[in-house]
Amino acid sequence: MTARIIDGKAIAAELRGKVADAAHRLARDRGIVPGLAVVLLGSHSASEVYVGSKTKMVISIGMRSFDHRLPETTSEAELLALIGRLNTDPVVHGILVQLPLPAHIDAQKVLAAIDPGKDVDGFHPVNAGRLSAGLPALAPCTPLGCIMLAKTVHASLAGLEAVVIGRSNIVGKPLTQLLLAEDATVTIAHSKTTDLAAVCGRGDLVFAAAGRPEMVRKDWIKPGATVIDVGINRLAGEDGKTRIVGDVAFAEVSEVAGAITPVPGGVGPMTIACLLANTVRAASVLAGLPAPDFGGRRTEDGGRNG
Ligand code: NAP
């Protein structure tokens, strides 16, 4: 068997189109232009590239972008004061603080200071709690993207065995909650899991989010399974150039899987598209409107309703 390649770039472009339409309708019918504020401290080159591409995408689909690039030496109090202003600014509907933050700043304190209704990254404890309680919430973007990609292969995830490798608050745990909401049967694996290969072998769906280059091998995968690779690992090639690989040994796993995401070009583009979607959801809910349905979770609503 040769796996079908799940084209994350094309699926993300389609999602951005739907988000652009929803943003256009909000502006036309309600005079609301969804606005995303991105806060970046210091000069972390990967973060700068990421923030730059977010800004371009936001503007390209007719939304507003507010970039706050602050020096590395910004104090926690100054950052919290900025978040306080963004929380009450009516033209800002989504707030994203780019991680990692410098060591002198308590990231949890900063994330908890964001209005949960504007928490488009879905990292606020209120949104994490609402998601695990099965209540409407702004859910983290990467797991939302993973669900959307899986649903391009399976019309329904109900009853499927899903294995999630990784239990971070950013990917593994929220992904598990979203899969439960889809009625999948979920196993969450981590670094202390014994016989990870056998655990993976049960999966009709395998989501790899461990940050371990090409860890998932061909003989771990049930023939025909859908494999979603979240990992982004930079490896130095023999030519001295850096190459990016996922957590899945793509070439060999493609020989047994039914469908697989490439890295790059799989989950990555979906993350930014889902951020745009969350900003439009937040803008809608903050205005007292129902959140538009872009797929990706069963209860489509921002953090305030429900
Ligand atoms: P993280 O916070 O480092 O968490 C990694 C998780 O994987 C932990 O739960 C860890 O277990 C588990 N793990 C590590 N080694 C393992 C092993 N050998 N076997 C089984 N489990 C193992 O990482 P993260 O933030 O979730 O990110 C995971 C990967 O996804 C990274 O490569 C990251 O770059 C990528 N990522 C991609 C996107 C995107 O947009 N595509 C977004 C976010 C992250 P313990 O809990 O026991 O330590």
Side-chain angles (χ1 to χ4, degrees):
M1 171 182 285
T2 305
R4 160 181 158 192
I5 309 296
I6 303 170
D7 185 348
K9 269 192 193 168
I11 298 161
E14 198 183 315
L15 174 58
R16 286 198 305 277
K18 288 186 197 165
V19 176
D21 289 347
H24 174 72
R25 281 195 300 275
L26 263 184
R28 184 195 61 201
D29 301 342
R30 301 281 176 153
I32 299 165
V33 180
L36 174 67
V38 178
V39 181
L40 175 64
L41 258 70
S43 51
H44 190 279
S45 59
S47 296
E48 277 182 21
V49 171
Y50 190 47
V51 167
S53 58
K54 278 177 197 164
T55 305
K56 262 194 231 151
M57 296 261 182
V58 166
I59 293 167
S60 75
I61 67 159
M63 294 174 16
R64 276 192 199 128
S65 173
F66 307 97
D67 278 9
H68 295 268
R69 290 173 190 250
L70 308 176
E72 179 106 21
T73 50
T74 303
S75 71
E76 189 176 281
E78 285 168 322
L79 181 56
L80 290 171
L82 171 62
I83 289 172
R85 290 196 297 279
L86 296 174
N87 280 343
T88 54
D89 187 337
V91 297
V92 172
H93 306 99
I95 303 171
L96 181 152
V97 177
Q98 186 64 45
L99 302 176
L101 287 170
H104 65 278
I105 292 180
D106 179 346
Q108 289 310 322
K109 195 168 169 185
V110 170
L111 295 179
I114 296 172
D115 176 346
K118 295 189 177 187
D119 169 40
V120 284
D121 252 343
F123 296 159
H124 192 289
V126 164
N127 279 317
R130 293 180 66 90
L131 183 63
S132 44
L135 297 170
L138 283 164
C141 303
T142 300
L144 277 176
C146 289
I147 297 286
M148 287 185 190
L149 292 175
K151 282 184 163 179
T152 64
V153 182
H154 306 269
S156 165
L157 308 186
L160 296 180
E161 288 271 352
V163 175
V164 177
I165 311 173
R167 57 175 162 183
S168 72
N169 290 335
I170 291 173
V171 187
K173 282 183 196 154
L175 178 54
T176 298
Q177 298 301 343
L178 290 171
L179 285 163
L180 285 173
E182 296 290 335
D183 295 329
T185 302
V186 193
T187 303
I188 182 160
H190 46 76
S191 67
K192 307 292 186 295
T193 298
T194 53
D195 203 353
L196 183 57
V199 171
C200 276
R202 295 206 297 264
D204 303 305
L205 304 166
V206 175
F207 298 86
R212 296 283 177 267
E214 299 178 330
M215 177 179 76
V216 176
R217 312 306 302 196
K218 177 180 175 176
D219 57 354
W220 295 21
I221 297 297
K222 177 157 92 177
T226 296
V227 179
I228 308 288
D229 190 351
V230 184
I232 300 178
N233 307 289
R234 287 174 175 80
L235 293 185
E238 282 169 15
D239 53 4
K241 288 187 185 153
T242 305
R243 72 190 173 97
I244 293 181
V245 300
D247 286 358
V248 175
F250 180 82
E252 62 175 60
V253 170
S254 299
E255 293 170 15
V256 290
I260 187 168
T261 58
V263 176
V267 175
M270 291 301 286
T271 297
I272 296 190
C274 288
L275 174 71
L276 305 177
N278 270 355
T279 306
V280 173
R281 286 185 182 114
S284 305
V285 175
L286 288 165
L289 301 167
D293 180 1
F294 300 117
R297 68 175 307 224
R298 282 179 141 183
T299 45
E300 292 284 344
D301 213 334
R304 289 202 170 176
N305 284 357

